[in-house]
Amino acid sequence: MDENVETMIKNGDLLLQKEKVMDAIREYTRAFEAIGNNENEDTADLSYRLSQAYNSLESKNDENSKKYAEISLRIHQKTGDKDLEILDYLNLGYIEMYAKKRDESERYFKQAFDMAKSIDDPFLVSTALNAVAELKSESAKERKEAMEIYEQVLKISKDTEDWENYFEAMRGKIGLIRASGEEDTALKQALEAISFIDELCAKIKNKKERKEFKKTLSFIYDTASDIAMELENVDEAIKIAQRLNSE
């Protein structure tokens, strides 16, 4: 890749991290105009970035985000990279979910799930199932099915020690319990999840890695703290914050 193009992409990444989304899009677009005709992995990667940036800027309007997501998908279909093709389907599914296009979203998520299952990839299967469950969680009449899917992910991901998907599913499950009005049960589940994180952390000998692992799962602590505050249990919320910051 040309050095100038690499600089544009790096600038775009930095701007996106600073939440200067429009500026990031300008940098990515300049880079895309320089390499877009090549239709290779670099183009696909940049298209994916553009789709994510546009979705962040205007989530209810899928025109630009979908356009670039489809370019990435088309390239990966040509190159036969199934893993990345699945991620493209998931990206498109989320784009359509945020744009409130439920049928299109579900179709993309199903394509991601079917392909992940066909290549027997437990991580991508769980990732796709989590996406389907998240979509179904938005509908009160489908929450029972969403809960069943989350339970399925919890089993698969625990067996494979895929903690990323495990705790994403746990967050979804806790959210459904909370939505049903059972805040006490939701808090209990969240605290049990935190205890499990503590167990996993105890097995990590490197202090830095242990800290990073806990940091990636901070959303579980945030969820537990929110529920505790909703229940006006300030003491518990403080304890949760202390557990997050403990070594």
Side-chain angles (χ1 to χ4, degrees):
M1 187 188 295
D2 182 87
E3 189 175 335
N4 289 333
V5 174
E6 285 186 3
T7 300
M8 292 174 200
I9 294 172
K10 286 178 182 177
N11 288 341
D13 291 345
L14 288 170
L15 288 164
L16 201 59
Q17 288 172 17
K18 295 176 181 178
E19 298 184 358
K20 295 181 179 180
V21 183
M22 197 64 244
D23 291 332
I25 288 172
R26 289 193 188 98
E27 287 296 305
Y28 288 151
T29 301
R30 286 174 61 209
F32 185 83
E33 288 170 353
I35 68 169
N37 292 330
N38 295 334
E39 293 248 327
N40 55 26
E41 182 51 47
D42 289 335
T43 314
D45 181 63
L46 183 53
S47 297
Y48 190 93
R49 279 175 160 87
L50 271 163
S51 73
Q52 296 263 295
Y54 269 114
N55 193 42
S56 177
L57 180 70
E58 45 182 12
S59 60
K60 293 181 180 179
N61 179 6
D62 66 347
E63 183 179 355
N64 288 309
S65 51
K66 185 176 181 181
K67 169 189 167 183
Y68 287 105
E70 286 178 336
I71 292 172
S72 180
L73 173 62
R74 185 174 70 242
I75 293 170
H76 290 140
Q77 286 174 330
K78 287 181 181 178
T79 60
D81 196 325
K82 299 294 186 185
D83 288 8
L84 293 177
E85 191 176 339
I86 291 165
L87 294 178
D88 288 325
Y89 281 127
L90 288 169
N91 187 30
L92 281 159
Y94 277 112
I95 286 168
E96 298 298 49
M97 184 173 80
Y98 297 142
K100 304 299 181 185
K101 295 184 177 180
R102 182 181 175 81
D103 291 344
E104 290 92 330
S105 176
E106 190 164 13
R107 177 168 58 84
Y108 284 126
F109 286 154
K110 186 178 185 305
Q111 285 175 291
F113 171 74
D114 289 343
M115 186 171 287
K117 198 172 180 182
S118 73
I119 64 173
D120 193 25
D121 188 313
F123 172 77
L124 289 172
V125 166
S126 291
T127 303
L129 285 172
N130 266 336
V132 173
E134 185 176 347
L135 179 66
K136 290 185 178 295
S137 295
E138 294 183 348
S139 170
K141 65 181 180 181
E142 292 187 292
R143 283 177 185 160
K144 182 181 178 182
E145 186 179 354
M147 181 66 85
E148 291 170 356
I149 295 171
Y150 281 134
E151 293 288 2
Q152 186 181 352
V153 175
L154 288 170
K155 184 179 186 310
I156 296 170
S157 55
K158 190 173 186 179
D159 289 345
T160 56
E161 297 187 356
D162 168 15
W163 304 124
E164 180 181 341
N165 275 309
Y166 179 89
F167 286 104
E168 280 293 342
M170 184 58 70
R171 170 164 59 179
K173 177 181 176 180
I174 292 166
L176 288 172
I177 294 170
R178 191 177 180 184
S180 70
E182 299 177 56
E183 285 88 356
D184 288 322
T185 304
L187 180 58
K188 182 182 176 183
Q189 290 277 312
L191 292 174
E192 287 176 0
I194 290 173
S195 294
F196 188 36
I197 292 172
D198 288 340
E199 286 180 32
L200 295 171
C201 283
K203 297 176 183 178
I204 303 172
K205 294 181 180 179
N206 184 284
K207 183 178 178 180
K208 186 178 179 181
E209 290 179 5
R210 191 164 59 243
K211 187 176 181 180
E212 281 299 312
F213 180 75
K214 188 177 281 191
K215 184 179 178 182
T216 62
L217 300 175
S218 61
F219 59 84
I220 293 291
Y221 295 82
D222 293 340
T223 298
S225 182
D226 285 347
I227 299 170
M229 291 302 292
E230 188 174 315
L231 291 168
E232 299 182 354
N233 191 340
V234 179
D235 289 343
E236 190 65 70
I238 292 171
K239 289 178 185 176
I240 292 164
Q242 290 171 338
R243 292 179 73 175
L244 174 61
N245 295 318
S246 65
E247 295 297 338

